[in-house]
């Protein structure tokens, strides 16, 4: 894979391990001219998530759990066929795989700390409620006569 635009970083110092990526090329149904029927421009990129040693164990566990629906026998498959050139489709597939793994290995968000409503705000709300109630009650006085 000489000449590809450098290693695709997942996060921090961890990047996609080139030896563990399996590339397959086929004819694309996407845009193209007369040349499209003869060139294998669609790219399929496979990454064996279950067997990889390049991800930290915690990340790997997290990714396997979060991507469970997308995995086929522990292998993550990404396809790209939006460009006419195989080269650009390879780039697109690698970028897509890297961002998928980055999202899947991200740490869970911090739990939300519940905050208390300030007493002044609550008191003001109750005061306004009472005032509104008085206004409405004043409208329904039955002794008009």
């Amino acid at each position: 894979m000489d000449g590809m635009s450098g290693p695709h970083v997942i996060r921090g110092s961890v990047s996609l391990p080139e030896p563990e990526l399996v590339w397959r090329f086929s004819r694309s149904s996407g845009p193209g001219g007369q040349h499209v029927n003869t060139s294998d421009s669609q790219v399929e990129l496979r990454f064996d998530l279950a067997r990889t040693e390049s991800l930290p164990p915690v990340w790997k566990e997290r990714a396997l759990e979060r991507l469970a629906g997308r995995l086929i026998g522990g292998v993550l498959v990404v396809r790209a066929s939006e460009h006419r050139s195989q080269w650009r489709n390879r780039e697109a597939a690698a970028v897509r795989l890297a961002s998928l793994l980055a999202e899947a290995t991200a740490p869970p968000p911090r739990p939300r700390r519940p905050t208390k409503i300030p007493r002044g705000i609550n008191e003001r709300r109750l005061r306004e409620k009472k005032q509104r109630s008085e206004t409405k009650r004043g409208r329904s006085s039955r002794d008009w006569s």
Side-chain angles (χ1 to χ4, degrees), residues 76-144:
L76 184 60
V77 181
V78 175
R79 278 193 193 88
S81 61
E82 57 268 15
H83 302 292
R84 284 175 64 169
S85 85
Q86 185 190 95
W87 188 252
R88 287 177 62 194
N89 281 333
R90 282 170 67 166
E91 283 292 300
V95 167
R96 210 172 293 160
L97 180 65
S99 68
L100 249 175
L101 286 172
E103 207 174 292
T105 57
R110 280 209 182 112
R112 182 187 167 275
R113 252 185 47 219
T115 54
K116 273 177 72 175
I117 298 169
R119 206 172 83 210
I121 289 176
N122 215 13
E123 284 173 357
R124 188 178 76 207
R125 181 181 63 84
L126 293 173
R127 206 169 40 247
E128 286 171 359
K129 244 176 121 165
K130 199 167 280 181
Q131 207 172 3
R132 186 93 183 123
S133 145
E134 288 298 318
T135 305
K136 288 189 171 192
R137 210 171 48 187
R139 292 179 189 152
S140 69
S141 45
R142 282 167 289 286
D143 44 80
W144 282 99

